[in-house]
Structure formats: C-alpha cells, structure tokens
Amino acid sequence: MSEQTKPMPLSGYTILDLSVMTAGPVGTMLLGDLGADVIKVEEPAHGDLARDLGNQFVNGESVQFMSQNRNKRSLRLDLKSPAGKAVFLRMAKTADVIVENFRPGTVDRLGIGYEAVRAINPQIIYASASAFGQSGPLAAWPANDPIVQAVAGLMDMTGEADGLPVRLGAPLPDFGAAAMMALGITTALLHRERTGIGQRIDTSLLAAALFSTIPRDGETIRSGKAPSRLGSGHPTMVPYRNYEGADGKYFFAACFTEKFWTNLCRVLGRIDLLTDERFINNTQRTANRHLLDAILEDAFVKQPADYWVKTLSEADVPCAAVQDYHTALTTDPQIKHTGAVLHFDHPVAGPMTNIANPLTLHGTPVELRRPPPVLGQHSEEVLREYGFSANEIDALMSNGVVKGSRLKDVAVTQPAE
C-alpha cells in the first residue's frame, strides 16, 4: 500500500465526498480505488455516522466505517457555519465531482447544493444518492436499506414459504445504489470530457432495489400476483434450491436448463424422471415442485453434502456447498485465488481487512493506496493543497470550523508494498 505512483483511470479527478453511512461512501470508495482523489468532508464532532454505528470497534475505530472508506482523505469541516460553507465553496470551485446522500433538500438549505456550486463551477458533476429519490411522497421519509427493502417488495419475497418476510442478509439496495452512482459519475465525466458540460446525477436505493429484481418484474406484472416466498427456491425454475446431505449440511443445485436436469437425473440413476409427464419440462417441474423435491430430498439424504457437490459438479450440474460467510472470507480457495480480501495496516486499528474492488482492469489495476482515514486526519493537508495559508488554517482551527485528528502529533506510516 502506497501513495499513487502511476496514472490510473481516474487520476487527476477530485471528489468532494459529503456522503455518510453506506451507499455514498461505497460509491466513492469504488472511484477512489480507480485513482480519484476522494476528500471525505465530515461533520467535526463525530464525522460520518458510520464511525459510531454497531458494536465492532478496534482501538476506537469503527469496523463498519473502515470497510467502506479506503483510498480517501478526511477533512473535518463545519458546513453549518458561514465560514465552513465558504471553505467548501472555495474547494468546490476546482473540484470535479461532489457526492452527497443526505435527505433531499439538505445541501440546498446549507447553501452548498447543485445550483450554488454550479454558479461558481459550471462543469461540476454533482451526484445525489437518496433512499427514495429527490421528490415524491416518500422523499423526506427517514429511511435506510431495510426500509427500502420493505417498500420495494424485496423483503416480502424473501423467506420460507410458511415464514415471515425476511431482511436480506446483505444491504444490496445500498450497494446497488453505490454501483449506479459510480457508473453515473464516470459516465458524466466522460460526457464532460467530450462536451465540457457538467451535470447533476440522481439515484436512489429504491431505484437500485427495483432494478435488482429483474426479471421478477415481468413475471409479477404478467401474472398479476406477487412472488411467493420459497426459501432458497426459485419461482420459475425447478430444481433450483438448497438440499440437505446425509451429514446435515446443505448444498445448492441449480438446474436452469434441460441439459443440467438431464445430467442430474443420470447422476441419481433416475432416467425415468426424464420421461415422467409430471417433470417432462420446466413448466411441469415447477407445477409439481413439491413432488419432485420430495424425490430429490430422499436421494440426496443418502450421501454427505460434499459428496454431492463433487459428484454433481463433475457431471456438469451447477452446485455448491452452502458455506458460512467467515468460511467464505477466510478459507474458500476460489475467493483466495481472486484476491477478494485485502489486507492492510491501519494507523490506529492495526492489521485489518477489506473486500476488494470487484472490477479488474488489467492495464490499470485498482490500488489500495490509503487505509480508511482517521477522522480529520488530512484536514490541514487538504486545506494547504487548496491554497489556504497557514494563518487561514490556524484561524479556522481555532474557531472550530475545521478540526484535525488524534493523529496530529503521530507519524502515520504506510506498510511497504
């Protein structure tokens, strides 16, 4: 891990990141991984809300915050004060991108919204990510990822058939919005390179959540019925679910083509199922899923789950062991091979891990250049870069408009590459 030493796809672009929690910070982290200089502008007292969330802290640093804020610099700035607003607008004059994910209208009330910035920097790309969008009956609702899951129908379609609606195990609307925002920003930057014109970008967790339900939308509107909860099963493909082996462990088998269904029947020695009218095609298998699942369950319970994963995979049937998340991150050979888990040293928390950027650019690979910043770690450094004199910085610090960090008198060292 080191400072940027070679050009990357987004080298030279500066992002002023006002966002908090998950969707905005993950989106800007993706861009920081690609070389953008992401300056995280944080509320002076506590910073990003994620710094105080949950119950996992290492030497006072939030694990949640550190998971989604690498490759950024932190500036503690009081945007509610006139002096803080002036500092931000001075920085915004030369910034390329501004990102925020407050409730709609918040940045306008602070005097740092799109129109205020565009007046001094017409080429600015101004990206907003919200729960429900910038307008509409739910725009001002207090909300986060699971609230959006509930509204979008994701929660209702998740869970066992005879159980209650279930929150998804990971905040997928947050990450969908983060990805869409990052895509929108890079697209807008490309457009600006071609035309010289900046623009405003708007995305939401709700829009991302609904987009992620494709192709459930067509099935639902066509049938006139909401998807049923099927546990690990699929509404239109059978067999396609978790099954239990003789050892009580589970594996997932997915026969989404006739080829895979045929291969499964051959492995089980049940060629007769291929000509059984109840299972003759996917439509019939779906209509008779309970009958077929009973047959498959009786067969699968005769051997351990690992046996079925090996045997079915070798027979070209898509399947995998259902492993817990800790196992996936620490011992899975494919995940290890892809380098999906990054290791770095944090100046306060010490050795930590992150999930790597999922994008691989073979010519200009992403880099872990900076660990997640300590609150206010780069306040003075950033202001100096934006032309603030030593006297100006001292005045801002003494008035509490800008604050440094607890690392002010500590040398922050980076591990060798």
Side-chain angles (χ1 to χ4, degrees):
M1 182 165 53
S2 64
E3 295 296 323
Q4 186 170 314
T5 57
K6 60 184 179 181
M8 297 178 68
L10 297 182
S11 294
Y13 291 106
T14 300
I15 299 173
L16 301 183
D17 182 11
L18 299 169
S19 66
V20 299
M21 295 289 283
T22 300
V26 170
T28 54
M29 182 175 73
L30 291 172
L31 301 175
D33 287 348
L34 295 171
D37 180 17
V38 181
I39 300 171
K40 190 171 180 68
V41 182
E42 303 190 65
E43 182 272 329
H46 301 286
D48 185 333
L49 295 172
R51 289 188 182 274
D52 292 327
L53 289 183
N55 61 1
Q56 297 291 316
F57 297 87
V58 182
N59 295 332
E61 295 295 308
S62 163
V63 171
Q64 176 166 331
F65 175 87
M66 288 189 288
S67 71
Q68 54 203 29
N69 283 285
R70 65 173 175 263
N71 286 332
K72 302 179 186 182
R73 297 190 287 171
S74 173
L75 164 66
R76 297 171 77 179
L77 178 64
D78 182 8
L79 292 170
K80 294 180 181 179
S81 70
K85 170 187 169 182
V87 169
F88 181 81
L89 291 177
R90 182 168 162 181
M91 296 173 66
K93 284 182 181 179
T94 56
D96 296 290
V97 180
I98 293 174
V99 173
E100 64 91 13
N101 65 343
F102 301 125
R103 290 196 204 185
T106 299
V107 288
D108 292 324
R109 288 193 296 273
L110 292 172
I112 57 172
Y114 174 62
E115 295 299 336
V117 174
R118 187 177 68 161
I120 58 174
N121 182 356
Q123 292 189 316
I124 194 70
I125 307 299
Y126 203 112
S128 298
S130 59
F132 297 113
Q134 295 299 304
S135 62
L138 301 186
W141 269 27
N144 62 350
D145 186 279
I147 303 302
V148 172
Q149 289 186 35
V151 172
L154 290 176
M155 199 174 288
D156 183 71
M157 69 173 75
T158 306
E160 296 298 330
D162 56 353
L164 298 174
V166 174
R167 178 182 66 84
L168 300 178
L172 297 187
D174 266 327
F175 280 79
M180 291 299 101
M181 184 182 71
L183 173 63
I185 289 171
T186 52
T187 302
L189 287 171
L190 176 61
H191 175 74
R192 192 182 71 181
E193 292 295 325
R194 292 173 171 174
T195 67
I197 300 172
Q199 62 182 296
R200 185 173 186 180
I201 299 168
D202 174 21
T203 191
S204 70
L205 274 66
L206 180 61
L210 292 173
F211 193 74
S212 75
T213 62
I214 297 171
R216 298 287 86 76
D217 61 319
E219 298 165 1
T220 297
I221 293 174
R222 181 176 179 276
S223 67
K225 298 186 296 183
S228 300
R229 287 190 289 278
L230 296 170
S232 64
H234 194 281
T236 63
M237 289 184 278
V238 175
Y240 196 99
R241 50 158 276 201
N242 287 333
Y243 293 96
E244 186 178 5
D247 53 356
K249 296 181 179 180
Y250 288 86
F251 65 96
F252 196 101
C255 294
F256 50 90
T257 69
E258 291 303 311
K259 169 190 170 182
F260 296 141
W261 165 240
T262 299
N263 291 347
L264 175 63
C265 291
R266 287 173 176 165
V267 167
L268 297 178
R270 293 297 307 268
I271 302 300
D272 59 298
L273 296 178
L274 295 175
T275 55
D276 190 318
E277 289 298 323
R278 298 171 299 175
F279 315 128
I280 197 70
N281 55 38
N282 183 66
T283 299
Q284 290 302 108
R285 292 195 295 275
T286 302
N288 295 290
R289 69 169 67 233
H290 298 300
L291 293 174
L292 180 55
D293 277 337
I295 293 171
L296 296 178
E297 288 167 2
D298 286 343
F300 289 139
V301 79
K302 295 175 182 177
Q303 295 287 351
D306 285 348
Y307 167 86
W308 291 117
V309 172
K310 182 177 185 296
T311 303
L312 293 177
S313 294
E314 290 176 349
D316 197 27
V317 177
C319 66
V322 178
Q323 59 189 11
D324 66 76
Y325 189 50
H326 184 265
T327 298
L329 293 183
T330 58
T331 64
D332 183 89
Q334 183 62 31
I335 292 175
K336 278 191 171 184
H337 173 76
T338 61
V341 179
L342 302 175
H343 297 267
F344 64 91
D345 286 334
H346 188 272
V348 174
M352 297 296 295
T353 61
N354 268 185
I355 300 298
N357 192 304
L359 181 64
T360 299
L361 296 172
H362 293 276
T364 53
V366 300
E367 290 184 359
L368 176 54
R369 307 183 314 279
R370 298 175 180 273
V374 173
L375 178 59
Q377 180 177 337
H378 306 95
S379 292
E380 295 181 54
E381 172 187 308
V382 167
L383 292 181
R384 285 196 300 270
E385 290 178 9
Y386 274 86
F388 287 82
S389 69
N391 288 337
E392 287 178 305
I393 294 173
D394 287 343
L396 291 168
M397 299 281 280
S398 63
N399 292 330
V401 175
V402 174
K403 292 186 178 180
S405 76
R406 55 175 167 157
L407 293 177
K408 181 177 180 181
D409 301 315
V410 178
V412 181
T413 60
Q414 305 287 357
E417 288 187 278

